[in-house]
Amino acid sequence: MENGSPAPRRARNAAYLVIGLGLATTLVFGVVFGVRSLGRAWAGEPYPTADPAATATRVNDRLLAAYDAFGLSPAPELDPQVTPAVEADVYDCHRRGFAHALDGIDDSAPHEPRTAAIHAGFSVRGLTAAQAEAAVRSAERTLNGQGWTVTVSREPDRVRLVLEPPKPGGAVAPSGSAGSAADAVPASVSATVDYANGYLHLSAGAECARYPEDTRVDDEGKPEGLPALTLPAQLRRS
């Protein structure tokens, strides 16, 4: 019996060695993955790339869809005190990651080059209190029915709404890709209905995105050639 005992011991030792190597390999991969993850968290993920003209068009589409949902009839008047426009904001697109966590509150912090957030908006006026309340109910009902996420905050004399379209309809597909929802640049709409002064203000915006290298920019680094804002055809002009 003693002559046969080394074989089981060698088998056990081999098994222990395999287990040990497996644990060591798992530990090494875990450390490497952890270091890489920590590095990404510290430096921040790069912004997605999207054509700013396509982004502006999608933002405009979301704005018009939201306005239609308010169901305002008769058509109100465009507020001449608010200039309707599509704009590119390059100054709020700061670098990401823990290394730049305070950049958002530091006016002197550098912004990410060739990166912009596209915004658009307009206001209408002349709403009665009854029209304004009916418009809020119409927007909630219509957009919820279309799969949007509607968040409503009520104050004594006004209502604020945050309107998030369903994906992928509420997102801008990155340039050169098939446009999957996971790779898209989200675009949402916010609205303020002022009962006391009888106006509705709508604004839509997409999150920061890099633009392709061949995009023309001005002296501030803002993309040029953005399409003009398309307003609802039924709006009255003063």
Side-chain angles (χ1 to χ4, degrees), residues 78-176:
L78 185 68
D79 186 353
Q81 298 183 23
V82 178
T83 302
V86 176
E87 298 177 330
D89 179 8
V90 299
Y91 296 107
D92 282 338
C93 296
H94 297 289
R95 294 174 180 177
R96 296 176 168 184
F98 293 127
H100 309 285
L102 300 180
D103 287 2
I105 59 175
D106 182 0
D107 292 337
S108 64
H111 58 273
E112 188 71 17
R114 300 190 65 81
T115 303
I118 307 298
H119 301 281
F122 65 90
S123 292
V124 298
R125 66 181 184 179
L127 304 181
T128 66
Q131 279 181 305
E133 179 58 31
V136 171
R137 291 198 302 269
S138 174
E140 285 189 83
R141 180 179 62 254
T142 301
L143 294 177
N144 276 322
Q146 294 174 0
W148 292 49
T149 300
V150 180
T151 304
V152 180
S153 301
R154 291 186 175 270
E155 301 175 15
D157 59 353
R158 69 185 58 193
V159 176
R160 302 182 191 275
L161 302 94
V162 176
L163 313 171
E164 298 180 44
K167 291 181 175 58
V172 179
S175 176

Side-chain angles (χ1 to χ4, degrees), residues 180-234:
S180 67
D183 295 329
V185 182
S188 61
V189 181
S190 63
T192 300
V193 182
D194 188 316
Y195 292 87
N197 298 302
Y199 75 77
L200 163 66
H201 177 70
L202 280 167
S203 63
E207 295 180 5
C208 296
R210 294 181 62 83
Y211 28 91
E213 291 299 324
D214 60 352
T215 303
R216 292 183 296 108
V217 299
D218 62 16
D219 293 339
E220 293 182 85
K222 295 181 179 181
E224 295 182 333
L226 296 181
L229 179 65
T230 300
L231 293 170
Q234 64 269 37

